[in-house]
Amino acid sequence: MTDHATVPGSAQQGIDTSVPHSARIWNYWLGGKDNYPVDEQAGDAYSAVFPGIVTVARSSRAFLGRTIAHLVTEAGIRQFLDVGTGLPTEDNTHEVAQRLAPEARIVYVDHDPLVLAHARALLTSTPEGATAYMDADLADPDRILSAAAETLDLSRPTALILSNILGHVADHDQARAIVTRLMDGLPSGSYLSINDGSRGVDADYEQAQDAYNDTGAIPYFLRPVDRITAFFDGLELLDPGVVSVPLWRPDTTAPAPQPIGEHGGLARKP
């Protein structure tokens, strides 16, 4: 069992710890401590149907780390807007970025009382940089941009991070419109990093996720790869394009990566 951390202010925030929560389940799969027995039980039930979900979760986090490292060391990016950040675990955006560039500035965005209760854990920074948290809904990109501008200089290139969040927007056109509006608010030379669960690679994953959605929990919709790729329309995709996340510029010292039902890419705004 996980050595569970106490959620600060959970009673005041109205967080129900008797019902499994998708952010806590994901945290459990990542090896985090901000979850409860009910989340472990739900996570174990899911992984009993599809054991590969732990690989999906951890491969997603590894992809995030590699893209941020590229943005800092190769693209010279020093500002990050991470929307739908979820619960903090290891190698969060600010940790990876500030490890490489202590002056990096990061704004996290989420719209969940559980994540808000843990915001203090996110609000750490090097003295040279800045890390901020804002409570805003993905469906309100104008508010996100306005609030982010309190910490970031949005006249300078900024990396927008959308990691496993667009799958919560059921309508693909709506999801594309959100991405477009957020990128419209960033200048030329900015970047977009997206990774999300995909269809067409692993039928067992698709079956497990569809069954999870049918339970009445907050749904997360897997999308065909071409629809994930469409989020990057109008941008310059970096090689190797939108691929299964283990195949995106893998660590050459690691074993040969195998494709999974999670695709992502990184693109530059011209």
Side-chain angles (χ1 to χ4, degrees):
M1 298 290 284
T2 303
D3 179 15
H4 307 287
T6 300
V7 178
S10 58
Q12 291 80 1
Q13 293 290 336
I15 297 170
D16 188 350
T17 60
S18 68
V19 176
H21 186 285
S22 58
R24 295 197 307 255
I25 295 170
W26 192 259
N27 176 269
Y28 171 53
W29 287 331
L30 285 173
K33 297 182 178 180
D34 295 319
N35 48 77
Y36 294 90
V38 66
D39 305 305
E40 288 189 354
Q41 292 161 13
D44 289 343
Y46 191 116
S47 61
V49 176
F50 176 60
I53 189 58
V54 173
T55 298
V56 170
R58 297 183 181 182
S59 296
S60 169
R61 179 52 60 105
F63 167 83
L64 178 65
R66 295 196 303 278
T67 56
I68 293 171
H70 172 86
L71 288 165
V72 173
T73 61
E74 302 296 328
I77 296 296
R78 295 295 183 269
Q79 299 192 129
F80 296 83
L81 177 56
D82 187 338
V83 182
T85 178
L87 289 168
T89 52
E90 294 182 357
D91 281 343
N92 302 289
T93 296
H94 74 283
E95 293 170 323
V96 177
Q98 291 182 343
R99 188 182 304 141
L100 298 168
E103 72 276 19
R105 304 176 73 84
I106 295 89
V107 170
Y108 289 106
V109 180
D110 212 300
H111 187 55
D112 187 308
L114 178 69
V115 177
L116 180 61
H118 282 277
R120 187 178 304 168
L122 289 172
L123 294 175
T124 59
S125 176
T126 57
E128 303 93 330
T131 304
Y133 173 84
M134 56 175 289
D135 182 11
D137 195 322
L138 177 66
D140 192 356
D142 289 329
R143 168 169 160 68
I144 290 173
L145 291 167
S146 175
E150 297 176 9
T151 301
L152 307 178
D153 178 357
L154 297 186
S155 69
R156 296 175 51 217
T158 301
L160 173 63
I161 309 295
L162 298 169
S163 180
N164 289 108
I165 183 65
L166 293 172
H168 288 299
V169 182
D171 184 86
H172 184 244
D173 290 338
Q174 181 186 4
R176 287 187 66 180
I178 290 169
V179 174
T180 298
R181 177 65 192 97
L182 287 170
M183 289 305 295
D184 282 349
L186 304 180
S188 174
S190 293
Y191 285 80
L192 172 63
S193 174
I194 290 176
N195 62 284
D196 259 305
S198 55
R199 290 190 178 274
V201 175
D202 193 324
D204 290 338
Y205 182 22
E206 295 166 21
Q207 180 180 0
Q209 187 59 45
D210 291 345
Y212 177 84
N213 290 348
D214 289 341
T215 66
I218 297 173
Y220 179 85
F221 300 96
L222 307 180
R223 285 193 165 99
V225 177
D226 63 339
R227 292 205 161 193
I228 297 175
T229 303
F231 291 132
F232 295 98
D233 284 354
L235 305 177
E236 300 169 346
L237 268 168
L238 277 64
D239 289 337
V242 176
V243 296
S244 182
V245 292
L247 307 183
W248 197 92
R249 303 192 180 192
D251 184 348
T252 56
T253 64
Q258 300 298 316
I260 59 174
E262 173 89 8
H263 278 67
L266 179 66
R268 182 183 182 275
K269 181 175 179 177

